[in-house]
Amino acid sequence: MAGEQSEAQLQIRFVTKQEKYAVPDSPYAIQSSVQSAELNNLVNAILKETAPTIEKAVVFDFLVCGELLCTTLAEHLQQKGVSTEETLDIEYLERFPAPTPQDCLMHDDWVAAVHTHNNWILSGSYDNSIHIWSTKGQHKLAIPGHTSPVKAVSWVSFNGDQAVFASGSHDQSAMLWVWNVPRNSVDCVVTCRGHEKGVECLSVSADANRFATGSWDNNICLWSTSLSDEDNVPAKKRSKPDHGNTREPLTTLKGHREAVSGVQWMDFNTVVSSGWDHLLKLWDCELGGIKQEIAGNKAFFDVDWSPVNNSLITASADRHIRLYDPRSTESIVKTTFTSHTGWVQSVRWSKTRDTLFLSGGYDNQVKLWETRSPKTPLYELSGHEDKVLCCDWSNPSLLISGSSDNTLRIFKSKHAVENA
Amino acid sequence: MPPFRTGLLKRKIDSKESKKVPEKNTSEDESGDSEEYDLIGGELNVEGDDTDSEHEDEKETGSDQEQDEVLFDDSADSALSGDEQVEYASDESSELTDSENDEDSDDGSAGEIDDEKEASDSVDSGAESANGKSKSQTKTNVQVQEVTAKTKQKQKVKLKNQKQKKTPYDDKQTHDSINRLASTIEKTSVTQPVEQKDEYESGDTSDEEERRNTVGDVPMWWYNEYQHVGYDLDGRRIMKPPQRDHIDDFLKKCEDPDFWRTVRDPTTGQDVVLSKEDLQLIQRLREGRVPNPEHDEYQPWIEWFSREVMATPLRAFPEHKRSFLPSRSEQLQISRIVHALKMGWTKTRKQLAEERRKRREKNFYNLWGSATSEEERAQRGIHKHIPAPKRPLPSHAESYNPPPEYLLDDKEMKEWNKLSETPWKRKYTFLPQRFGSLRAVPAYERFTRERFLRCLDLYLAPRAIKMRLTIKPEDLVPKLPSPRDLQPFPTSEALCFRGHTALVRSVDFDPSGQYIVSGSDDGTVKVWETSSGRCLRTVSLQEPVSRVSWLPTGALTLVAVAVGSRVLLLNPGARVGAHRAAQRTDELLQEPPPQGDVRMDERTAACVKWDEVSTEEWALGIRIAITHFKPVVHLCWHARGDYLCATVRDGGARAVVVHQVSRRRSQLPFARSKGLVQCALFHPTRPLLAVATQRAVRLYDLVRQQLVRKLLTGAQWISSMAMHPAGDNLLVGSYDRKCIWFDLELSSKPYQTLRLHGGAVRSVAFHRRYPLFASAGDDPYIVVSHGMVYNDLLQNPLLVPLKQLRGPAVRDELCALELRFHPEQPWLLAAGADATLRLYS
């Protein structure tokens, strides 16, 4: 059979959307048993003739029938059920370069939350503290304040020397902090109290005016991020001496029947939330009502929304990552990505590339996915020795994941060429 | 013989002849025939007019004259003929007897014809001259008068008649025709006034031809005794006409030439003279011919209705619808016949012929044929034939000309000869030999013997069919739905909670499923986060923890921990997240209720003691401690969270203790021991307590304080119990590897006994929301099953084993010690003997 395959020939034509790598539109006859490496050599050889300006060899990925070529061409076509008789269009694009491990930030306890903004990494830990790191791996601050594991952290804004960030914890509160960068001092400005149970997730809106928290009490609360709170807090609450001021939620979105595990802003007015009750809900923040509901069949652990391609990606209590399109009225999964061997706890879209996302699972793996290859991830970012609890790709060049082996691992991705 | 007599005879003869003559004439004489017809026609005319004459009287005008003339003529004729007869008779012979009538008849007929012709001629002249009216009157009168006169004369003339018969008064008779006519005219003139009135009246009253009797079809002899014979149309009596005796008849016969054709109408009693047409009619009827003389039986046939289509059809109406539709009755008949043919009840001619042909053929018994078909075998009396086993086909060595390699060479020959003592050890049973041709092959000397042995084999070793029942193993398994359709259920291990150092005895979820509490033999109680497997808190209690149970209500966070003989109520929430609930719990439990409220009888107080908690213990999270008199093995919260049921090992009658937390008091619900109590469970909705002893489960009503039901498990030693969240089903696990499902509504006997385990079953659990239950024990597998309980009471629960999950590692022959389902998700938690907790999803 191998002999047969090696003998089988097929006609291909190379297509690309990246103009600088364009090759003549002439068909080539190749063996059907080739893999992407051989195709890569071929394209590079052609490029050398046609475009001598490109000096270094470029590594390409090949899209056949809308899916990334991972096996031999023959097997791929057989899976897709495509005839080998006709001329095949193979699209190629520059491969996303492999991320390289850059750093490993040691914590005292499990790392439950992480968020980056430009050069600063914010991490929340099970030892009730929040840590600020620089992207170079320098530990800036350890901030105690919460009385329970910090489950969610997020940068809110950078304003010159002053940086604002929010944190949510299982002590049923979310806190708004101000970090003075030059002085490296941090101050808890506002404590947000309103949840009956621990805060599980937190998300800041794009305009940085509000943030939403999801909690184990099945509610989502929307809070203001303003540091001065005269406008929206009753006077008697202000007298609490604890951690500065206490704040009450702007809106409470009630509707989930079980814990809210993930919350994300879709635009200035819409929040998407995932719950343990197998539901994804899209909320209208102005009205405080549900815009849309998508039902899954497993408890959701995390959700992320990409403004680049308007898709939702979810992690749930099984091995699969599911891609939903919120615009479709039926809650049909568009794609299921299966490679993890344990629960997937966290998923994050790339901020710049519409087809890439990151996932971290309980099988100690962080995986970089391409939406067009649902069976095989692009890269497996291994290194963690225990369950990966969180991951982050807010800084396009840094792939960060926190794990229950008390480490935060940073992978650096060389900025690949933007999609055409 | 008197002349009237002869006249009568003549008439008779006439009538006979008139009957006979037409027949003769048709054959013999045509001229005579025509004459006869004329004669008869004349007579008929006379007759017909005679009947009419009575009514067509004075009103008649000249047009009627002819008839009248004829009528008159007839009467004259009859009178004349009578005279002439008399004359004739007198001329010929007055002494003619009846016997001579035959001879006379021929002559008489001819003579009469002549006479009548003459008479008609003679009278014609007279008739023309006479006035029709008066004459018709006179004529009728004559007739009537004759009758009336005769009646008058009846008595008078009787004697005369005798004389008349003897004495021929020829003279008188000869003149009589004219005289009588004259006399009758006279008489009529005399008698008319009396008689005529009636006549006219009757004539005037109706247009009918005669008076009609209206009595209907009744026998006329009914009127024998009356004067009348019935009633006419006006209801008047129709009087009987005066009776005539034989003499009158006789006289009339003599006098009336029409007597022979005069009949009496029985209904009216009137005499009716039959007309010539009537006579002809009677004659034709007698002869059996068509009554109408004009009818021609032999007229040419014209075929009006033929198949030729006429330009103007005789019948213009359209064909009936029936002629286009198939006949239903015919169809039924045909179908009946077809059915009979199909069933073989009737046979076609062809088939019958075939059968006959077969029967005619000679039928030989096929002596040498083998009975191949079933019918033939049955014919021969072979039932359930088993064919004889086939002999193997001859091999190459048995050929008359075997290939050389089959022939024995010298070495083999030597061997062959060596084994002559033990021939069964030889390679062949025969010696392969080579012959030049088939012709050269000698006779096989053992042939007969071998054939005989073969027959003996077949005959003496009877063969039998062995009926073998083939049951596939799949057929024995009940039809159950595919597990794929019963999702979701836990299928794989998702998380492993590590942290304990000794086997974990007990686990429980908090009501929301966020946390897990576990108690271990290493003396610690640990609180874990479900989703991450993080141990959030460890409480060290020094003694092995036998049981943990989280308070099922969400408002408070309290875990009941059984440590040795103590039950500790632990508040784990202080550092795990549910701060407010923990705070509330602490506030609630800080102050013990007033002592006056706590009252326990001595028996209870002797075995249960509510202890104050020391400060160190309070710091650990212990809020209340209850000390029992023996080690506590099982704990169960009531669904509302106020009552806690503790089971004490070897407690006898005091094995079950119910604690009320809010009032800090205890109760001993049972006064007598029913056996070794294994565990006790509160019913989720009703005030029932299920108590499992070694072999039985008893259900007690706590309000009425009585035994509701005793469930016989059939197990040797019960290990654990779980109540279905709806409360109607109970699952019991036993140390002899059984899981026993009870449907409490159904019976006190097990609904189903599941033997799913290879070792003792130590724990069983129901899911609160999904139709799932699980059992685990000493074998390394946890079995998850689908246990659907239907709301419909008629439908029995559906139990389907779904999945064998690889349980925790086996340590000291123990594997999983307790199972709990997540309250919301289809996840299963197992406490393992290898010091781990395993979460399956």
Side-chain angles (χ1 to χ4, degrees):
Chain A
M1 185 160 168
E4 268 178 47
Q5 278 187 354
S6 64
E7 279 172 29
Q9 290 223 336
L10 67 148
Q11 296 250 313
I12 57 164
R13 193 162 39 207
F14 288 109
V15 181
T16 186
K17 286 174 181 163
Q18 293 165 319
E19 277 179 24
K20 58 179 177 176
Y21 298 127
V23 295
D25 181 24
S26 52
Y28 299 90
I30 55 157
Q31 305 286 329
S32 67
S33 62
V34 296
Q35 296 202 344
S36 57
E38 287 140 28
L39 286 173
N40 205 9
N41 291 339
L42 178 61
V43 173
N44 273 312
I46 300 163
L47 275 178
K48 203 171 247 179
E49 291 172 10
T50 55
T53 49
I54 302 163
E55 284 135 20
K56 272 168 72 180
V58 188
V59 186
F60 291 104
D61 264 334
F62 297 90
L63 281 169
V64 182
C65 311
E67 214 168 278
L68 228 53
L69 181 67
C70 301
T71 55
T72 67
L73 198 54
E75 281 175 40
H76 190 91
L77 290 177
Q78 203 177 356
Q79 273 182 7
K80 286 277 159 189
V82 180
S83 160
T84 56
E85 306 281 318
E86 294 160 21
T87 306
L88 193 68
D89 280 348
I90 295 182
E91 189 185 341
Y92 61 98
L93 63 155
E94 193 182 355
R95 178 176 287 182
F96 187 82
T100 47
Q102 192 198 9
D103 216 336
C104 173
L105 309 178
M106 299 301 293
H107 286 68
D108 295 336
D109 210 336
W110 295 10
V111 182
V114 64
H115 192 238
T116 44
H117 190 274
N118 295 338
N119 296 321
W120 303 107
I121 300 169
L122 195 65
S123 68
S125 168
Y126 266 82
D127 62 357
N128 311 346
S129 61
I130 306 161
H131 299 265
I132 300 175
W133 310 76
S134 73
T135 46
K136 303 278 181 276
Q138 190 183 7
H139 187 243
K140 282 287 177 188
L141 260 181
I143 307 157
H146 283 292
T147 57
S148 280
V150 179
K151 296 289 280 188
V153 289
S154 177
W155 291 105
V156 176
S157 62
F158 275 85
N159 211 344
D161 292 343
Q162 195 185 41
V164 182
F165 62 91
S167 67
S169 159
H170 267 198
D171 63 1
Q172 308 178 5
S173 65
M175 286 183 176
L176 213 58
W177 308 79
V178 175
W179 177 44
N180 195 320
V181 184
R183 282 193 288 154
N184 199 12
S185 65
V186 82
D187 193 16
C188 173
V189 182
V190 180
T191 306
C192 304
R193 295 193 183 277
H195 283 296
E196 287 287 317
K197 285 187 175 177
V199 175
E200 184 69 21
C201 51
L202 189 149
S203 169
V204 180
S205 68
D207 58 357
N209 281 333
R210 284 179 292 176
F211 68 96
T213 54
S215 160
W216 268 92
D217 63 358
N218 311 349
N219 295 335
I220 299 161
C221 287
L222 302 181
W223 316 81
S224 164
T225 56
S226 71
L227 301 174
S228 57
D229 46 9
E230 294 84 23
D231 46 346
N232 53 6
V233 173
K236 59 174 181 179
K237 292 271 179 184
R238 221 179 297 159
S239 59
K240 261 207 168 168
D242 231 359
H243 282 287
N245 297 316
T246 312
R247 179 172 291 179
E248 291 204 334
L250 296 173
T251 324
T252 304
L253 306 174
K254 294 184 180 178
H256 275 291
R257 290 198 308 275
E258 283 179 56
V260 181
S261 55
V263 63
Q264 287 290 331
W265 288 86
M266 287 173 75
D267 54 45
F268 69 97
N269 196 24
T270 313
V271 166
V272 62
S273 69
S274 63
W276 280 39
D277 54 358
H278 308 182
L279 289 175
L280 292 176
K281 294 192 185 215
L282 270 64
W283 304 84
D284 190 315
C285 299
E286 292 292 318
L287 300 170
I290 299 164
K291 273 165 81 173
Q292 196 186 329
E293 239 179 42
I294 299 169
N297 50 11
K298 290 272 163 39
F300 288 113
F301 285 152
D302 198 9
V303 65
D304 195 21
W305 186 74
S306 165
V308 186
N309 60 5
N310 292 328
S311 303
L312 286 171
I313 196 133
T314 63
S316 52
D318 54 9
R319 302 175 293 120
H320 310 297
I321 300 161
R322 293 181 176 84
L323 183 78
Y324 291 93
D325 187 351
R327 290 164 298 186
S328 69
T329 48
E330 301 137 18
S331 60
I332 293 172
V333 182
K334 272 176 77 181
T335 324
T336 305
F337 302 94
T338 310
S339 171
H340 280 288
T341 54
W343 282 358
V344 184
Q345 190 63 24
S346 173
V347 283
R348 284 291 174 272
W349 280 105
S350 162
K351 297 287 182 223
T352 51
R353 300 281 294 262
D354 61 343
T355 58
L356 297 178
F357 65 91
L358 199 64
S359 73
Y362 279 4
D363 56 350
N364 311 349
Q365 295 285 342
V366 178
K367 301 198 181 198
L368 180 62
W369 294 86
E370 156 83 34
T371 49
R372 287 168 291 194
S373 84
K375 298 281 191 308
T376 328
L378 275 187
Y379 299 106
E380 293 185 359
L381 315 180
S382 54
H384 283 298
E385 286 148 13
D386 209 343
K387 301 182 283 284
V388 179
L389 298 175
C390 57
C391 60
D392 185 73
W393 200 355
S394 306
N395 185 335
S397 61
L398 294 179
L399 292 80
I400 303 171
S401 59
S403 157
S404 58
D405 61 356
N406 305 352
T407 59
L408 193 73
R409 283 187 185 269
I410 305 172
F411 284 79
K412 191 169 183 66
S413 77
K414 276 178 280 173
H415 230 347
V417 185
E418 295 292 320
N419 277 348
Chain B
M1 186 156 186
F4 55 82
R5 179 77 174 167
T6 52
L8 181 71
L9 283 173
K10 262 197 173 176
R11 283 289 175 191
K12 274 184 180 174
I13 291 159
D14 272 352
S15 68
K16 278 178 192 171
E17 277 182 350
S18 65
K19 287 167 200 166
K20 287 173 188 172
V21 162
E23 291 175 8
K24 284 178 184 173
N25 286 345
T26 45
S27 57
E28 293 170 7
D29 188 15
E30 290 208 315
S31 61
D33 187 24
S34 64
E35 284 176 3
E36 275 300 310
Y37 273 116
D38 290 341
L39 167 80
I40 291 164
E43 276 184 355
L44 281 174
N45 281 335
V46 170
E47 294 288 338
D49 292 340
D50 195 18
T51 49
D52 290 341
S53 61
E54 282 184 87
H55 305 287
E56 289 171 10
D57 36 19
E58 298 99 334
K59 292 173 188 175
E60 296 292 316
T61 51
S63 63
D64 289 330
Q65 271 187 353
E66 280 184 2
Q67 286 188 341
D68 291 340
E69 283 165 11
V70 174
L71 176 89
F72 184 72
D73 187 23
D74 181 52
S75 66
D77 172 43
S78 61
L80 284 172
S81 68
D83 295 343
E84 279 175 350
Q85 279 167 12
V86 174
E87 285 173 358
Y88 185 78
S90 60
D91 287 347
E92 292 258 327
S93 64
S94 56
E95 293 158 358
L96 273 172
T97 54
D98 288 346
S99 57
E100 291 170 348
N101 280 347
D102 292 332
E103 296 171 42
D104 292 335
S105 61
D106 291 336
D107 304 335
S109 66
E112 196 192 5
I113 293 163
D114 295 338
D115 288 342
E116 283 189 354
K117 277 185 176 174
E118 287 168 8
S120 62
D121 291 340
S122 64
V123 177
D124 276 347
S125 57
E128 283 169 351
S129 60
N131 187 355
K133 263 187 189 175
S134 60
K135 276 179 185 170
S136 67
Q137 274 187 354
T138 54
K139 190 257 161 184
T140 49
N141 289 339
V142 168
Q143 280 192 335
V144 174
Q145 278 303 310
E146 277 177 356
V147 175
T148 49
K150 275 169 188 169
T151 51
K152 286 173 187 172
Q153 290 169 352
K154 259 182 190 173
Q155 287 84 18
K156 298 173 188 174
V157 185
K158 260 186 183 176
L159 290 172
K160 279 183 185 176
N161 276 344
Q162 296 294 330
K163 288 174 186 174
Q164 277 175 348
K165 279 174 187 173
K166 289 170 187 174
T167 57
Y169 30 88
D170 296 344
D171 302 340
K172 197 183 177 181
Q173 289 291 333
T174 49
H175 302 291
D176 211 26
S177 57
I178 303 161
N179 291 341
R180 201 197 291 171
L181 193 61
S183 66
T184 48
I185 292 166
E186 283 172 4
K187 279 172 188 170
T188 50
S189 61
V190 177
T191 52
Q192 231 166 2
V194 185
E195 297 287 330
Q196 228 166 9
K197 260 186 186 172
D198 291 335
E199 186 97 85
Y200 278 122
E201 270 178 14
S202 65
D204 286 339
T205 46
S206 68
D207 316 337
E208 290 171 61
E209 294 175 352
E210 56 195 282
R211 299 167 78 189
R212 184 162 292 175
N213 195 348
T214 58
V215 289
D217 190 17
V218 296
M220 292 315 289
W221 53 262
W222 288 0
Y223 291 91
N224 278 355
E225 293 172 12
Y226 300 97
Q227 290 294 307
H228 62 281
V229 286
Y231 306 90
D232 65 2
L233 289 170
D234 295 327
R236 281 175 306 197
R237 284 180 179 172
I238 300 172
M239 300 309 293
K240 272 184 193 161
Q243 291 294 316
R244 286 179 303 196
D245 54 5
H246 289 287
I247 298 170
D248 294 330
D249 279 341
F250 178 75
L251 286 175
K252 191 155 189 227
K253 195 189 277 177
C254 294
E255 289 164 3
D256 192 356
D258 285 338
F259 180 80
W260 61 276
R261 55 175 174 187
T262 306
V263 293
R264 176 160 287 187
D265 184 356
T267 54
T268 53
Q270 297 289 335
D271 286 334
V272 178
V273 177
L274 297 178
S275 66
K276 204 174 179 182
E277 283 161 352
D278 291 339
L279 289 173
Q280 200 177 4
L281 188 75
I282 290 164
Q283 192 181 1
R284 290 184 75 94
L285 281 173
R286 272 193 187 162
E287 286 166 4
R289 289 158 67 196
V290 176
N292 184 9
E294 264 106 59
H295 175 73
D296 183 7
E297 288 169 68
Y298 304 106
Q299 63 188 348
W301 174 257
I302 300 165
E303 197 160 7
W304 296 110
F305 301 102
S306 64
R307 61 180 182 179
E308 267 113 51
V309 179
M310 295 169 152
T312 51
L314 290 171
R315 306 191 303 173
F317 54 84
E319 290 285 313
H320 197 273
K321 183 186 178 186
R322 208 160 38 224
S323 58
F324 298 107
L325 293 175
S327 163
R328 172 109 183 108
S329 62
E330 270 176 22
Q331 191 193 342
L332 279 173
Q333 263 178 314
I334 288 165
S335 69
R336 215 172 291 138
I337 292 166
V338 168
H339 183 63
L341 281 173
K342 271 185 189 167
M343 302 301 287
W345 300 330
T346 59
K347 282 176 180 151
T348 56
R349 261 181 225 133
K350 206 173 170 186
Q351 285 170 326
L352 288 171
E354 182 71 15
E355 278 180 13
R356 271 199 299 280
R357 196 181 58 75
K358 269 192 182 168
R359 239 179 284 135
R360 245 179 279 125
E361 274 177 8
K362 281 180 182 168
N363 222 348
F364 295 110
Y365 178 67
N366 186 7
L367 182 62
W368 302 110
S370 59
T372 46
S373 71
E374 203 61 42
E375 276 178 35
E376 278 179 57
R377 286 195 197 116
Q379 259 181 359
R380 290 183 174 201
I382 302 168
H383 300 289
K384 288 191 178 172
H385 173 68
I386 307 164
K390 279 188 180 158
R391 318 286 315 258
L393 292 172
S395 63
H396 289 297
E398 283 162 88
S399 166
Y400 77 97
N401 187 14
E405 60 265 30
Y406 289 98
L407 294 171
L408 300 186
D409 55 8
D410 293 344
K411 196 178 159 197
E412 284 171 323
M413 257 334 266
K414 216 173 270 174
E415 181 112 353
W416 177 273
N417 293 331
K418 209 165 75 183
L419 292 170
S420 58
E421 295 299 309
T422 53
W424 58 87
K425 284 183 181 169
R426 280 172 176 166
K427 196 174 168 188
Y428 300 119
T429 55
F430 57 93
L431 192 65
Q433 276 177 302
R434 181 168 213 162
F435 300 99
S437 65
L438 202 55
R439 231 175 330 117
V441 179
Y444 182 48
E445 68 270 18
R446 295 218 310 261
F447 176 78
T448 316
R449 180 164 175 74
E450 280 189 357
R451 259 312 118 139
F452 173 67
L453 288 174
R454 168 76 173 159
C455 286
L456 278 188
D457 277 352
L458 295 178
Y459 172 61
L460 291 176
R463 304 177 291 278
I465 294 176
K466 242 183 203 170
M467 299 301 286
R468 192 182 297 160
L469 200 62
T470 50
I471 299 176
K472 288 180 199 162
E474 299 90 67
D475 296 342
L476 296 171
V477 178
K479 289 268 182 296
L480 290 175
S482 159
R484 194 177 292 276
D485 306 331
L486 303 174
Q487 279 177 336
F489 56 86
T491 52
S492 59
E493 186 183 318
L495 270 178
C496 179
F497 299 73
R498 296 175 199 280
H500 281 294
T501 51
L503 62 86
V504 185
R505 289 256 173 218
S506 180
V507 287
D508 202 2
F509 278 98
D510 92 302
S512 66
Q514 189 182 5
Y515 301 113
I516 292 164
V517 67
S518 67
S520 161
D521 267 7
D522 60 3
T524 56
V525 171
K526 280 179 186 282
V527 179
W528 311 79
E529 190 183 35
T530 309
S531 59
S532 62
R534 164 84 180 188
C535 176
L536 294 171
R537 197 172 168 206
T538 306
V539 180
S540 180
L541 297 169
Q542 272 77 40
E543 272 187 275
V545 178
S546 60
R547 207 79 193 175
V548 289
S549 182
W550 203 301
L551 186 74
T553 53
L556 304 176
T557 62
L558 208 56
V559 177
V561 183
V563 186
S565 60
R566 294 174 84 200
V567 171
L568 307 174
L569 297 185
L570 201 70
N571 184 357
R575 260 173 279 157
V576 300
H579 294 275
R580 295 205 187 141
Q583 210 173 337
R584 245 189 334 258
T585 313
D586 282 354
E587 284 166 13
L588 201 71
L589 296 178
Q590 205 145 28
E591 289 300 314
Q595 280 299 315
D597 213 22
V598 182
R599 273 183 302 174
M600 288 195 284
D601 56 357
E602 276 191 21
R603 179 166 169 261
T604 315
C607 61
V608 178
K609 195 158 147 266
W610 290 72
D611 293 332
E612 284 297 313
V613 180
S614 64
T615 0
E616 300 94 64
E617 283 180 332
W618 185 274
L620 280 176
I622 298 164
R623 298 294 176 256
I624 296 171
I626 311 162
T627 310
H628 297 72
F629 70 108
K630 291 245 172 104
V632 178
V633 291
H634 192 263
L635 289 173
C636 173
W637 283 101
H638 187 254
R640 297 242 296 279
D642 196 12
Y643 290 96
L644 175 69
C645 176
T647 310
V648 178
R649 185 181 297 152
D650 302 331
R654 297 178 293 179
V656 180
V657 188
V658 178
H659 306 292
Q660 191 179 7
V661 177
S662 62
R663 297 170 69 188
R664 302 204 182 181
R665 63 176 202 143
S666 304
Q667 284 170 295
L668 291 172
F670 305 117
R672 232 178 306 152
S673 163
K674 297 282 186 188
L676 204 59
V677 177
Q678 298 297 307
C679 55
L681 278 184
F682 281 111
H683 191 278
T685 50
R686 282 183 290 165
L688 295 175
L689 185 69
V691 178
T693 54
Q694 266 189 12
R695 297 193 179 181
V697 177
R698 289 179 176 79
L699 235 68
Y700 294 97
D701 192 328
L702 292 171
V703 175
R704 284 183 287 172
Q705 305 223 323
Q706 64 186 23
L707 178 68
V708 177
R709 183 171 286 177
K710 183 182 175 187
L711 307 172
L712 297 168
T713 57
Q716 295 300 312
W717 197 307
I718 292 171
S719 62
S720 57
M721 249 194 325
M723 190 80 83
H724 190 268
D728 286 339
N729 295 275
L730 188 73
L731 190 63
V732 174
S734 79
Y735 288 117
D736 55 351
R737 306 173 182 188
K738 287 187 213 164
C739 284
I740 303 141
W741 181 292
F742 285 98
D743 192 335
L744 300 181
E745 298 287 331
L746 198 68
S747 115
S748 60
K749 299 265 165 42
Y751 164 63
Q752 210 160 313
T753 303
L754 305 163
R755 291 182 179 81
L756 302 169
H757 287 280
V761 177
R762 292 204 175 261
S763 182
V764 288
F766 272 112
H767 197 284
R768 214 171 72 183
R769 278 176 53 188
Y770 291 98
L772 292 174
F773 67 92
S775 57
D778 292 349
D779 68 331
Y781 292 104
I782 298 166
V783 178
V784 179
S785 310
H786 177 86
M788 189 64 182
V789 175
Y790 299 96
N791 283 330
D792 182 7
L793 285 175
L794 296 174
Q795 209 168 355
N796 286 328
L798 172 72
L799 311 184
V800 186
L802 293 174
K803 176 89 181 167
Q804 264 192 336
L805 297 168
R806 170 59 87 167
V810 178
R811 295 274 169 82
D812 304 331
E813 298 180 348
L814 292 176
C815 179
L817 291 160
E818 187 161 33
L819 291 178
R820 277 287 180 275
F821 273 105
H822 191 277
E824 307 292 343
Q825 306 294 338
W827 300 344
L828 179 68
L829 183 69
D834 59 348
T836 60
L837 277 66
R838 313 243 172 182
L839 184 70
Y840 300 90
S841 76

